[in-house]
C-alpha cells in the first residue's frame, strides 16, 4: 500500500544524524586556533540549526570574544568549515534512519534534504554514511541565497524533486523551529522528531506531529495524512 506522501523533505542535524559531538569537536579546534577556550557539547547543542556562520558567532560570544563584524567572522568561518570538511571521525546516525529511508525509497517516495549545514560538508557526510543515493535533491545552507526558516529553501528542494509545492502529498521532517517555519512557508505539513535540537519544548514548535523514534515515521505519516486532508 503506497504511503500518503509522495515526497518528503528532511532536515539533517538532529533529525537524521546526531552531529553535536562532531560540531563540538571541530568547533573547539577552531576556538583553540584563535586562542579561545573550548565549549561543552551541551553548549553547542543550543547553537545548532542556524548555519555555520551563526554557529561561530555564537561560539565566540560564549567564550567572551564576540566577533565584531563580517570581516572578523570570515577567517574564523573558513577555518571551521575546512576543519569540518577534513574531519575523519564518523557522524552518528539516529536509530532506524537508514532502514526507514531505504524503505521509503523502495515504496516510491521521493526524498530530499534541506539543511543549513554547508552543502559540501552535507554531501561528504551523506556519502560517508551511505545515504547519498537515497536523496534526489540536496540543499545546503549555502546552496541558495536563502536558507531555513525561509520557506523558499524547502520549496526549491521540492521543485528539484519534480514535486508541486502546493501538492497535498508533500511533507517536511525536522527537529526544530526553523524546520517548522520553513515547512509553513512552503505550505506543507511538518513532522518534528523529539530527540533533536529544538531549543524549546518540542510540543511548542507547532509541528503537525511529534515522533520519538525515526522508525515510527511511516506509521506517523499515515496518521498525519488523515489530519491534513
Amino acid at each position: 500500500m503506497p504511503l500518503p506522501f509522495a515526497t518528503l523533505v528532511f532536515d539533517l542535524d538532529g533529525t537524521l544524524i546526531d552531529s553535536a559531538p562532531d560540531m563540538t569537536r571541530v568547533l573547539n579546534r577552531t576556538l583553540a586556533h584563535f586562542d579561545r577556550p573550548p565549549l561543552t557539547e551541551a553548549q553547542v547543542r543550543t547553537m545548532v540549526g542556524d548555519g555555520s556562520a551563526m554557529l561561530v558567532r555564537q561560539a565566540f560570544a560564549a567564550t567572551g570574544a564576540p566577533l565584531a563584524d563580517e570581516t572578523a567572522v570570515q577567517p574564523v568561518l573558513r577555518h571551521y568549515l575546512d576543519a569540518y570538511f577534513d574531519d575523519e571521525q564518523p557522524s552518528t546516525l539516529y536509530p532506524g534512519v537508514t532502514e526507514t529511508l531505504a524503505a521509503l525509497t523502495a515504496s516510491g517516495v521521493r526524498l530530499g534534504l534541506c539543511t543549513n549545514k554547508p552543502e559540501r560538508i552535507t554531501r561528504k557526510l551523506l556519502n560517508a554514511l551511505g545515504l547519498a543515493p537515497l536523496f534526489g535533491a540536496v540543499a545546503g545552507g549555502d546552496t541558495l541565497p536563502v536558507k531555513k526558516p525561509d520557506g523558499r529553501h524547502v520549496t526549491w528542494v521540492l521543485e528539484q524533486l519534480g514535486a508541486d509545492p502546493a501538492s497535498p502529498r508533500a511533507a517536511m521532517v525536522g527537529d526544530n523551529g526553523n524546520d517548522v517555519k520553513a515547512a509553513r512557508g512552503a505550505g506543507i505539513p511538518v513532522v518534528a522528531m523529539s530527540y533533536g535540537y529544538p531549543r524549546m519544548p518540542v510540543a511548542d514548535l507547532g509541528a503537525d506531529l511529534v515522533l520519538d523514534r525515526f522508525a515510527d515515521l511511516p506509521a506517523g505519516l499515515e496518521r498525519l495524512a488523515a489530519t491534513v486532508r
Side-chain angles (χ1 to χ4, degrees):
M1 180 177 175
L3 281 172
F5 293 99
T7 307
L8 297 173
V9 179
F10 291 86
D11 171 53
L12 180 63
D13 300 306
T15 301
L16 304 182
I17 65 172
D18 184 9
S19 54
D22 309 358
M23 292 187 193
T24 303
R25 181 175 62 249
V26 177
L27 186 59
N28 281 337
R29 289 179 197 158
T30 295
L31 289 169
H33 179 80
F34 289 93
D35 298 318
R36 303 307 308 154
L39 297 176
T40 66
E41 184 179 316
Q43 287 176 294
V44 174
R45 283 181 177 272
T46 68
M47 303 174 184
V48 177
D50 296 316
S52 297
M54 182 59 71
L55 177 65
V56 298
R57 288 190 186 97
Q58 291 183 87
F60 270 66
T63 62
L67 297 168
D69 51 32
E70 192 64 21
T71 300
V73 168
Q74 286 308 307
V76 178
L77 180 59
R78 281 195 299 272
H79 186 280
Y80 171 75
L81 294 179
D82 288 344
Y84 203 159
F85 188 79
D86 292 338
D87 187 53
E88 293 300 327
Q89 290 186 239
S91 297
T92 301
L93 284 164
Y94 287 112
V97 166
T98 301
E99 301 86 346
T100 304
L101 292 179
L104 289 168
T105 301
S107 70
V109 179
R110 293 169 292 185
L111 308 184
L113 192 77
C114 185
T115 173
N116 283 345
K117 188 184 289 297
E119 184 176 344
R120 68 168 177 147
I121 295 173
T122 297
R123 290 189 180 277
K124 180 182 177 181
L125 289 173
L126 291 177
N127 281 313
L129 294 166
L131 299 181
L134 301 176
F135 290 98
V138 174
D142 53 358
T143 303
L144 305 173
V146 297
K147 61 185 178 184
K148 296 181 296 184
D150 194 309
R152 290 173 291 177
H153 201 189
V154 174
T155 299
W156 184 87
V157 175
L158 292 171
E159 291 171 345
Q160 297 305 301
L161 292 170
D164 180 356
S167 168
R169 299 196 65 205
M172 173 90 189
V173 183
D175 73 298
N176 69 26
N178 284 340
D179 300 317
V180 174
K181 291 175 184 176
R184 296 289 179 240
I188 60 175
V190 56
V191 178
M193 307 310 301
S194 66
Y195 50 69
Y197 316 129
R199 292 185 290 191
M200 66 173 70
V202 69
D204 296 340
L205 291 176
D208 297 289
L209 178 69
V210 176
L211 296 175
D212 297 326
R213 301 192 316 150
F214 198 86
D216 294 335
L217 183 59
L221 291 170
E222 296 281 0
R223 299 199 305 274
L224 176 60
T227 66
V228 299
R229 282 174 180 152

